[in-house]
Structures are given as C-alpha cells and as structure tokens.
Amino acid sequence: MLQIKNLHASINGKEILKGLNLTVRPGEIHAIMGPNGAGKSTLASVLTGNPAFEVTHGTVSFNGKDLLELAPEQRANEGIFLSFQYPVEIPGVSMVNFMRTAINEQRKYRQQETISATDFLRLMREKKELVEMDNKLTNRSVNEGFSGGEKKRNEIFQMAMLDPSLSILDETDSGLDIDALRIVANGVNKLKRADNATIVITHYQRLLDYIVPDFVHVLYDGRIVKTGDKNLALELEEKGYDWIKQEVEGK
Amino acid sequence: MAENILHEVTQADYKYGFTTDIETDIIPIGLNEDVVRVISAKKNEPEWMLEYRLKAYRHWTTMKMPEWAHLKIPEINYQSISYYAAPRTNGPKNLDEVDPELLKTFNKLGIPLEEQMALSGIAVDAVMDSVSVKTTFKETLAEKGIIFCSFSEAVEHHPDLIQKYMASVVPITDNFFAALNSAVFSDGSFVYIPKGVRCPMELSTYFRINAINTGQFERTLIVADEDSYVSYLEGCTAPTRDENQLHAAIVEIIVHKNAEVKYSTVQNWYPGDKQGKGGVYNFVTKRGICKGDNSKLSWTQVETGSAITWKYPSCILQGDNSSAEFYSVAVTNHYQQADTGTKMIHLGKNTRSHILSKGISAGFSNNSYRGLVRVSPKADNARNYSQCDSLLLGDKCGAHTFPYMEVNNETAIIEHEATTSKISEDQIFYCNQRGISTEDAVGLIVNGYAKEVLNKLPMEFAVEAQKLLQITLEGSVG
C-alpha cells in the first residue's frame, strides 16, 4: 500500500527526515514512536503534502502512485487521512457543510455521483454513534469552541465519514483523558478492516494498550532505527529512549 | 467660477460639432444643456421633467467630485462621455461569438442558457420563456394594483406619483453624482405598492432580464404605501460586461406607515482585469426613508464587481418605532477599491437600526467600511447596533473601517463592534487534507464568514451569490 524509500525532507532549510524507509501493507497497524524532535509529525506532514515542508530526496508510492507528485487534496481523495495533532478551527463553516463538501469532493474525484441528502444524513448519524459524538458538535462550526478532547473525537468522526485506506493518527492521544482515549481508540478499532491500514504516531505506550500495533518503529534523528512488535513499545515505556540513542550512535 | 465652467461647457458644443438629430441612437460625447434637452426629447418627456433635469444640470456644474472617500479615483473627464445610448444592436449574434471566459463564469453560476444570451447582449426575441413569465407577472401585479414599470413609463403614465416622490429622498443638490444622475438619467424602474397590499412575489426574476441595457445612469423609485410589503431585488449575479466606465445611479425608497420594504442588490459590474486596467466606476446614491410610524426598511447588498465602488445605502428613520437594517458583503480582489457602508439617521422616537458589514479583501485591493449613525435630539430611545468585520486574504490588501457617530440624545444606545481576521494557511491545508481544493476551501470559508448576510437574500439568489463570492476570489490564495 505505502512504500517510503530513503525519504529526506526539510523545513526552512533544516533537514528533519534523513533517509526514512517504511513499508505498510493492507490490514496492518504501525506505531511510530520516538523522542521529541525525531521527525514523527514531519513524516505525517510530508505524507499528506503540507506545503511548509520540502522533500529533497527519496520516493513515496501509495497504491502504485507516486504520492509526491500529487497535491494535498488529491492525496486525501486517494484515501490518505490525517488526524491532526492540532485540529484547526474554521469559524462560520458548519461541520455539516464541511463534511458534505469533503464527501462530495471525494466522490467527484472517484467519478461517483454526489451524495443525496438522505444518504448523507444517515451516514452522519451512523458515524456519530461510532465515536459517541454529541449532536451539538456537528451543528457547530468546524472545531470552533471545541475542547481538546472534542477536537480529537471530531478527527476520528471525520475519518469514519471519509473511510480512508490509510489513516495517520498524529498524537491523537495527547490531551485526552482516559475515557476520551478509550472512545477514540474504540472508534479506530471499529474502522479497522483487512483492506485498510493505520499509522499511529505517539509518545506514549498508553494508546497502544487500546490500539494494538502489528509493528512498532522507533524514529530517531530522521530515520527509523529500530522495528519490533508491540513488546518494543513496552520496553520503551520502561527504559526510555537513551538505550536506543546509544545503540544508534554506537554503530 | 460656476459661470466659467458653464461657459466652457457651452463652448464645447461647437468643438464637437453638436447636432440635435433625435433620430440617431448615440448622441455625441460631452455634456451641456442641449444634451440634457436631447435626452429629455428622445424620451418624449413632459416639460416638468425637462425642467427638473436642467435644474439638476445647472446645480451639477457648480459642484465638485467628492474627495473624502478612501479611494484613488483617476480623473474623470465628464466631457468625454456619451450620455445617451440606445441599447446595443451590433452585439453578438449567438453564444459562439461571446467571450468564452464569460460563458465559463455563467456556467459556474448555473445561469440558464436563455438568460446567458440575454446577459451577453444577444438580441433575444419573444420566444424566450421569461417573456411570457413577464406577462404573467404583469397581470398578477396589476390585479393587486401594483405598479411596476420602467421609469420612463411611469413619467408618462403616473406623473402625479413621480412628481410627488421623485427627489423627495435624494434631492438634486444631494451630491455630485446624484446631481449628474438627475440631469442625465437614462431609465430605471418604478414600483408603487398600494395601501394594504402585500406584493405576492419577489420583484426579481423579472428585473434580472429587464435590467440589461437600461444604461449607466439608472434611477429607481420605490414607494410602499401604508400597510404594504414588497421585496425588491436589483442587479444580477452574472458578470455584466459593460463598456460604460461610469455608473451613477440613484435609488429612492419611501416607506409609509406600517409598511415594509426589503431591497436586495447583487452588484457584479466588470471589475477590471488582474492588473487593474479597465472596470466600472460605480458611484451610487441609495437612500430610503421610513416615513411613517412602524415602518421598516432593509438593505442587503453583495458587492463583488466594479473597479471602484462608492455607495452608502442609507435610511432616514423619521416615523416613530421605525426600523432599518443594512446587511452588506463587499468583496475586493486584484486592484479593486470599495468605499461602502451606510447612514442611519434617527429622527423618530424608539427607532432602531442594525448594521452588519462584512468586508473581504484579497490581492492588492482596498476595502473600506464607512458608516454614520446619527441620533437627533428628538429621537428618544434610539437604538443602533453595528458590527463591521473584515477578512483579509493575503498581505497586500487593505481593510479599513470608518465609523462615525453623532449622538444628540442621551437616551440613545449605540453599540459598535469590529473584527479583523485572516484566512490562515493552516485552515487551507486542513481543508486540503479533507480532499477540498484550495479554491473550494476559500469559497467555503468566505461563504461561512458572509453567511449571516447571504441568508438575508432571497433563496435562489443566495445560492448564486455564494458561487459568485468564490468565483470573484479565484486565484487569490496559494
């Protein structure tokens, strides 16, 4: 599904990713962990085409397409979804209108007809239940006046609506209390299928109790330096990152 | 001084070899008393109308163009303009001859083919559906005693009403452009709603077809008699390519006791090209009076066109308990300039006014809100609430707010709020990541921002106005 080869990327001339390799196959959950400043969020930004970042080297192929050639909205419509670490507020634009626009753009891209009002409302209702989202929230403007937890839940709601093949959760657990964390994780698990995949970017092992990864990668200094199964996350939780640093620098 | 100008102007006659051949469709450029007489003669106007025009013209020659607006207006040579032109007859024959860019915009707006033809200036004959619609309208309106006709027809058939109400809200001495319009106005519309009548339809679809080619100096007069109601819609969402550089219109509205008038306008004159070349100068005087007690007037405007806009739809709240509203969205892109707002003059007791202005600036444009709220000594318990918001796209454009308040009665409650915001790159990227292109994202955000005003428009127009905002701002971000 996703193949990243020797990816280098920088922001304002500063290189953050320094030769990253990663392969994600359908049905897999990958966790990416690592110390602050390792490049975790940069990876999410680069994959989704954030114009603030410049790719200087390497290739990314997504379902056989050259991802780096595509505009951000094309990548989204190809099936890449990012749950933002800091979801943006858009005053005046209702969630309903925003979602309907997004769904219809996706359908247009895939040469499908626009969604009917009844189908759309049914979809909204269904997905709202999935993430236990309050009706009040979908009647408000996009993220405006939402609490931190509500914003994150709203991200998962949008993910459910758009049904992506690759979801990237960028620190979705940060700022969540334990109940919200459980709801968000449940949502992600319910959306899990054999034909989609998830990349979970997180600082803490905590989220991985709920969303169980097939692979855990350690991102350090712009590269994936260690890969293991879910036990690696536990080990990191226990020992921190210092031993990884020593291992990498000792090489 | 005045005599000098007058003298110069009279001299100009000879220079341009002026003739008074009323058979031709376009009279030579320049303005003087003879031109005013020719216009009046071509329209077979009665003597009193000609006198009115001449009085206005003479006054105009003593006036100077206003310079207080936050606008850079290139010098206008009023002697190089032709003040009367019959509708174009050498326009395109069919849609194949029309500018493809224009057609693209029509299609984006979803304008029916027949209307596209009419708007592009193709001679459309009676086959067109809307003509029969028009006839049906006329019958329905006539049954109720509603008069809705061109200004010229009204001068001919309803001289009493015209003489009673014309210039009662905007006198010829009001301002430079109003005086000019009063002297040379070509045509326009007249509406009279009799006592106790609720106009059963938006006076809109009809006008949209009819408004084309009424010329650059339009005049509209709307009278709502006691206990009546009308919603009137002027203008057109489609881009009207017009060679006329200068537009100076007058709109007067008289609202009697317990009556209500809603006036909505969508202005989309040619704004000039991306480098700021060409485009219409739109200098309009719009004013209404809530004459009777409990009367109500609301102005809703969506301004996206014109190179320069100078326009302040205003209201005189004379009747006790009368109320007025002003809802405005003004968009400027590229090198457009707009100085627009309103005046609310509170004279009666318990009068209320509400101002909601939403400015959107992009490119290198400048967008100013200018508003006056005046409370006279006798206007006990007057209340005004003003909200002026500005949205900036990019960092080369300007947004300005000039609120004026003159409060002479201590029982008045006046509130003013203003905000300025920007569309951020983060917002755009967030939309992009949900599959929405940058242009659609800008449209979505701008429409969300302007929604409170757009909601005031009649339904079918609101939809077109939304698309129009997006088209106007195409290419302004990213």
Side-chain angles (χ1 to χ4, degrees), chain B residues 231-244:
Chain B
S231 168
Y232 183 89
L233 196 117
E234 177 221 70
C236 171
T237 49
T240 315
R241 295 282 155 147
D242 195 317
E243 304 84 45
N244 295 322

Side-chain angles (χ1 to χ4, degrees), chain A residues 4 7-12 14-20 32 35-56 60 67-68 75 82 85-86 168-171 199 201-202 219 221-223, chain B residues 429:
Chain A
I4 305 174
L7 185 64
H8 291 251
S10 55
I11 182 165
N12 299 329
K14 186 173 185 286
E15 188 168 60
I16 309 285
L17 298 183
K18 302 170 180 174
L20 186 141
I32 295 185
N36 284 331
K40 300 190 298 293
S41 286
T42 299
L43 175 62
S45 296
V46 168
L47 290 178
T48 50
N50 188 328
F53 294 86
E54 194 193 350
V55 173
T56 51
V60 180
L67 194 68
L68 301 177
R75 300 183 196 196
L82 172 62
Q85 185 177 1
Y86 304 109
I168 304 164
L169 311 182
D170 189 4
E171 310 242 356
I199 296 175
I201 293 170
T202 183
L219 184 57
D221 194 23
R223 270 183 293 260
Chain B
F429 180 66

